[in-house]
Amino acid sequence: MSGTEQRRGWMSILAKAEPAALQRLWSALGVEDGFTTLRPAETGMVMVRGRAGGDGMAFALGEMTVTRCTVRLDGSDVLGFAYVAGRDRRHAEIAARADALLQTARRDAIEAGLVAPLRQAQAEAKAAAQRKAAATRVDFFTMVRGENPR
C-alpha cells in the first residue's frame, strides 16, 4: 500500500470517528502541545454530488456542513489536514493534529493508540448495522405452476 493510500485510510477513519471516542483516545495520548495552527477550525458548506444508479449522470444532491482545519508540527514542515462532516471544531482540530503526527516517526504509537481503536469501533458498528439489516431481509421466490395451456 502506498503512502498516499495509507494516509487516505487514516484520514477517513479520523473524519468518521465518533467525536467523544476521538477526544478520549486523543487525551490518553497526551500530545496537546507542539502544533501551530495555520488554518483554525472553520465551518462551511460543500456541494454534495451524486449519480443515479452509481454510474449515471452526475447531479447536485444538496449542501453539507463541513469543518476543516490545518496545522503544522512545530519544528518541521509536516502539515496536518482534516475535513469532517458537521460543525465539531474540536473534531477537525484533533484529526488535523493526528494527521500531522501520523506522518512522523511517532506513527506507530499514534496508529496503535488512536487509529486502530477507532478502526475497530467503526468495523463493529458497520457489522452491527449489517446484522440489523439482514434480520429484516425477506427472500422472495416465484414458483412456476405446471399447468398445460389448452
Side-chain angles (χ1 to χ4, degrees):
M1 185 182 297
S2 74
T4 301
E5 290 170 347
Q6 289 177 332
R7 188 172 184 202
R8 183 179 298 136
W10 76 58
M11 290 178 87
S12 175
I13 296 292
L14 293 168
K16 295 174 186 174
E18 288 293 325
L22 180 65
Q23 175 67 49
R24 179 179 43 79
L25 292 167
W26 179 255
S27 295
L29 292 173
V31 286
E32 285 296 321
D33 298 329
F35 301 94
T36 301
T37 302
L38 301 179
R39 176 181 290 148
E42 58 186 353
T43 302
M45 303 289 280
V46 295
M47 179 60 69
V48 178
R49 297 181 53 89
R51 292 184 181 274
D55 60 358
M57 290 286 295
F59 63 93
L61 185 62
E63 292 181 332
M64 177 177 155
T65 305
V66 175
T67 302
R68 68 180 181 181
C69 183
T70 305
V71 300
R72 181 177 54 230
L73 197 56
D74 289 345
S76 74
D77 292 333
V78 176
L79 300 178
F81 299 91
Y83 283 79
V84 300
R87 300 175 181 271
D88 193 333
R89 293 180 176 176
R90 182 67 178 151
H91 184 169
E93 184 179 298
I94 292 171
R97 290 177 175 199
D99 177 48
L101 287 174
L102 284 160
Q103 298 174 66
T104 68
R106 298 174 68 183
R107 177 179 177 175
D108 290 339
I110 302 300
E111 172 74 32
L114 184 68
V115 179
L118 293 172
R119 182 182 294 117
Q120 179 67 29
Q122 289 173 17
E124 289 171 2
K126 183 176 181 179
Q130 288 174 339
R131 282 191 304 275
K132 186 176 179 180
T136 63
R137 181 177 173 170
V138 178
D139 289 320
F140 292 96
F141 63 92
T142 304
M143 293 185 66
V144 177
R145 293 172 38 170
E147 296 179 359
N148 291 331
R150 295 186 197 202

